Amino acid sequence: MDKVSHPTSARMNPSFLLVGPGVAKVQDRPVPIISDPHDVIVRINFIGVCGSDVHFWKHGGIQTSISVPLVMGHEASGTVCATGPAVTSVRVGDRVALEPGHPCRRCGPCKAGNYNLCPGIRFAAAPPNSHGMLAKFWKAPEDFVYRISPETSLEEAVLVEPLAVAVHAAKLADIRPGDTVVVLGSGTIGLLCGAIAKAFGAGRVILLDIMQHKLQFAHDYLAVETQLLDTRAAPESNSETILSKYNLHGRVDIAIEASGAESSAQLGIYLLKPGGSYVQTGIGKPKLNMPMLALSEKELRVRGCFRYSAGDFSLAVQLVERKLINLKPLISSITPFERATEAWDKTSRGEGVKNLIHGVLD
């Protein structure tokens, strides 16, 4: 039985903590204070739910289980309510999207511009004790707080975080105008990878999935080609079917895997043309069996994709504000803060695309 305790009256900084699998509680925590001149305190307005939240809620973690109660949430938007004396990029009252990982800035990866690979990064809602954003207040350095325009809603701003993942994947893939891009998986990340591929000038974008209702949404949302995969067929067989149906032999420049499924990853390798680019964006089992001969004989460029790095978040904000990416259709529901577990359960059941949780109301 899932257990939730959630009274929020007379609390300074009510926070939604996961205690263990199926057990959560709302607890008051200290209000963050300005400790660095570049600190920004944000009043959280909306929080997004993703697959990792579901894994934590159902299993207590992904590869690392929680050992102490942990505040959940790593996709969020809010309103600036306090700033340090050196802050110049935002001011009190600004509406902002929030980047949830704060690196050390001193290690080799950070100095090379790859701060997502920082071994000391503190990422929201990451065990053992890096608390997340499912709270009333959140503190961040000013350069990880992104002001949004009046035309962008705070609900949409939540999706800047997964959009930044898609931007990072597109950069790793080196999408160029006219490329044929196949996206494997049409969940939130897959949909946004398709949207970014179009924004980057791809000539043809095709989304693949094993669920027809997801593909119908993808077709309506992105106006792209879609293909339902035969779950009974081997990946190599599915590849031949798709290549023949869409006249793609030797024409698939880029495959972005966004589901984490082993068969999907294998399919991506088979679909690509010689010299093509493969990006693993979905996270599934720690170890996958891959068609190494096909990968080697085609001399494919294979990249992993981990979150986002220098410039990805700011570009995601720009694409939304220039109306090159429309995030509104992806928002499926908004659940009150005190009932956050209901949003986790909705996502677990596959309901909607992006379910949001409302921030604490006074």
Side-chain angles (χ1 to χ4, degrees):
M1 177 71 70
D2 296 340
K3 299 179 181 178
V4 184
S5 171
H6 50 69
T8 59
S9 59
R11 296 188 178 212
M12 297 288 290
N13 187 24
S15 307
F16 218 112
L17 292 98
L18 182 68
V19 178
V23 183
K25 65 179 180 180
V26 174
Q27 178 177 308
D28 200 18
R29 299 182 63 251
V31 175
I33 61 173
I34 301 293
S35 56
D36 181 279
H38 290 280
D39 281 346
V40 175
I41 309 296
V42 177
R43 170 72 181 266
I44 299 297
N45 293 113
F46 293 97
I47 307 95
V49 178
C50 84
S52 64
D53 296 313
V54 172
H55 280 287
F56 273 77
W57 174 231
K58 296 298 182 182
H59 309 293
I62 301 178
Q63 294 190 54
T64 302
S65 297
I66 64 170
S67 55
V68 295
L70 187 72
V71 179
M72 297 300 292
H74 66 270
E75 305 173 358
S77 64
T79 306
V80 175
C81 59
T83 63
V87 173
T88 59
S89 60
V90 294
R91 59 186 179 181
V92 172
D94 281 347
R95 300 153 61 256
V96 294
L98 297 169
E99 185 168 354
H102 307 151
C104 76
R105 306 175 188 267
R106 296 180 297 275
C107 67
C110 281
K111 294 177 75 172
N114 302 315
Y115 64 78
N116 57 321
L117 305 181
C118 170
I121 193 169
R122 289 188 63 83
F123 196 84
N129 58 3
S130 184
H131 290 295
M133 299 172 168
L134 194 49
K136 188 173 182 179
F137 298 105
W138 169 261
K139 180 172 75 171
E142 70 167 309
D143 49 332
F144 290 83
V145 175
Y146 300 82
R147 183 170 51 199
I148 59 173
S149 70
E151 291 75 31
T152 302
S153 71
L154 283 162
E155 293 90 334
E156 292 172 273
V158 172
L159 278 87
V160 170
E161 195 273 349
L163 183 62
V165 175
V167 168
H168 192 56
K171 287 182 177 180
L172 291 170
D174 192 23
I175 296 175
R176 300 184 181 186
D179 278 349
T180 294
V181 179
V182 174
V183 179
L184 300 102
S186 58
T188 302
I189 297 297
L191 290 167
L192 292 175
C193 283
I196 290 293
K198 292 186 68 176
F200 275 33
R204 194 173 183 187
V205 179
I206 303 171
L207 265 69
L208 312 178
D209 206 287
I210 61 172
M211 297 185 180
Q212 184 58 51
H213 73 277
K214 286 189 172 184
L215 291 175
Q216 185 60 55
F217 182 92
H219 178 269
D220 295 342
Y221 172 56
L222 296 172
V224 296
E225 297 168 282
T226 62
Q227 175 63 40
L228 183 68
L229 297 175
D230 184 353
T231 57
R232 299 165 298 179
E236 196 166 7
S237 177
N238 266 328
S239 171
E240 282 303 315
T241 299
I242 294 164
L243 292 173
S244 297
K245 179 177 180 179
Y246 294 97
N247 190 28
L248 291 173
H249 284 282
R251 298 187 180 186
V252 178
D253 302 286
I254 292 164
I256 300 177
E257 205 295 312
S259 75
E262 181 175 87
S263 59
S264 179
Q266 294 169 349
L267 175 58
I269 298 298
Y270 288 126
L271 286 171
L272 282 165
K273 72 178 187 180
S277 179
Y278 175 93
V279 177
Q280 183 62 46
T281 307
I283 298 176
K285 295 179 181 179
K287 297 181 180 180
L288 300 180
N289 294 314
M290 297 294 282
M292 297 302 296
L293 183 59
L295 187 156
S296 297
E297 287 184 337
K298 292 182 179 182
E299 204 167 86
L300 301 179
R301 294 181 294 123
V302 179
R303 298 294 302 268
C305 177
F306 188 56
R307 298 173 182 159
Y308 22 73
S309 194
D312 297 333
F313 239 82
S314 57
L315 179 54
V317 171
Q318 291 175 45
L319 290 170
V320 173
E321 299 199 337
R322 293 175 184 174
K323 302 189 183 304
L324 295 173
I325 303 290
N326 181 13
L327 298 175
K328 287 182 181 179
L330 303 182
I331 300 169
S332 304
S333 69
I334 300 175
T335 300
F337 179 86
E338 296 83 358
R339 291 159 41 198
T341 60
E342 294 178 18
W344 298 341
D345 285 333
K346 283 180 184 178
T347 303
S348 176
R349 294 191 296 266
E351 296 178 14
V353 178
K354 178 58 65 174
N355 297 304
L356 305 186
I357 300 167
H358 207 295
V360 176
L361 296 175
D362 289 330

